[in-house]
Amino acid sequence: MNYKSLQYEPLKSILDLTDNKQDSIVFFLKDEIKSKMNNYYFYDEKNKDIFINQLIICIKKSDLSLDIKGKIVSIKKNNIGININNLYTKYIDMNLYYIFLKDKKSKTSDTEFFEHLLKNL
C-alpha cells in the first residue's frame, strides 16, 4: 500500500507564491517551536548546501509539528541521519520535512568533520 494521503502539505500553495519561505513557514508555527529556532535558517536545496555536523530542526510538512532536533551525522541523497541527544540516530526522508539548519562553529566540530571525511575517502 502506498500512503500518499499522509504526505499532505497545507502550506504548499502559499510557499509557491512567496519569495521568503522561511518567514512564511515560521509565521504558522506554534510559539513553543518558534522559540527553539533562534539562529536557524530555512534550507532550500536550490540555494544552499547541507553538511555533516550542522544542527538541524525538522518540521513535518503535514502538520507543522517539530519532529526532530539534533545534529546531522550522515547524508545520502534525500535521506539524512540525525543524532539526537547523543543517544540514537534517526534517518529521515528530507522530502517530508521543512528543514532548518544552524552552523555549528567550534574546534571539536571541525575535528569531527575531518575525521569523518577521512573515514569516507
Side-chain angles (χ1 to χ4, degrees):
M1 286 184 125
N2 195 356
Y3 295 100
K4 291 286 183 188
S5 62
L6 296 176
Q7 296 178 7
Y8 178 68
E9 186 179 348
L11 293 183
K12 183 163 179 38
S13 58
I14 294 171
L15 295 178
D16 288 343
L17 298 173
T18 183
D19 291 331
N20 192 336
K21 294 183 183 342
Q22 177 166 340
D23 287 347
S24 298
I25 294 168
V26 171
F27 178 80
F28 290 100
L29 296 177
K30 294 179 181 177
D31 289 338
E32 61 206 36
I33 297 173
K34 289 178 189 178
S35 67
K36 296 177 183 180
M37 297 183 63
N38 289 339
N39 299 319
Y40 281 82
Y41 60 89
F42 178 68
Y43 167 69
D44 185 2
E45 62 186 82
K46 298 172 199 155
N47 301 328
K48 297 184 176 137
D49 289 326
I50 190 167
F51 300 103
I52 291 175
N53 271 348
Q54 283 181 306
L55 298 176
I56 185 169
I57 290 179
C58 301
I59 306 291
K60 283 186 184 178
K61 288 182 177 180
S62 60
D63 64 2
L64 300 178
S65 65
L66 190 150
D67 190 42
I68 303 167
K69 183 176 180 182
K71 182 172 75 169
I72 299 171
V73 292
S74 71
I75 304 168
K76 289 189 178 178
K77 296 188 181 179
N78 279 337
N79 292 313
I80 56 176
I82 302 168
N83 185 303
I84 300 170
N85 295 330
N86 290 326
L87 297 175
Y88 63 95
T89 300
K90 184 172 183 178
Y91 295 89
I92 64 158
D93 179 355
M94 291 175 58
N95 295 321
L96 301 177
Y97 296 91
Y98 296 120
I99 305 291
F100 291 85
L101 300 171
K102 179 179 181 181
D103 295 326
K104 186 176 178 185
K105 306 250 188 221
S106 74
K107 291 290 182 193
T108 56
S109 66
D110 289 344
T111 303
E112 291 171 4
F113 169 75
F114 287 114
E115 286 175 358
H116 184 76
L117 183 63
L118 285 172
K119 287 179 187 175
N120 288 322
L121 290 178

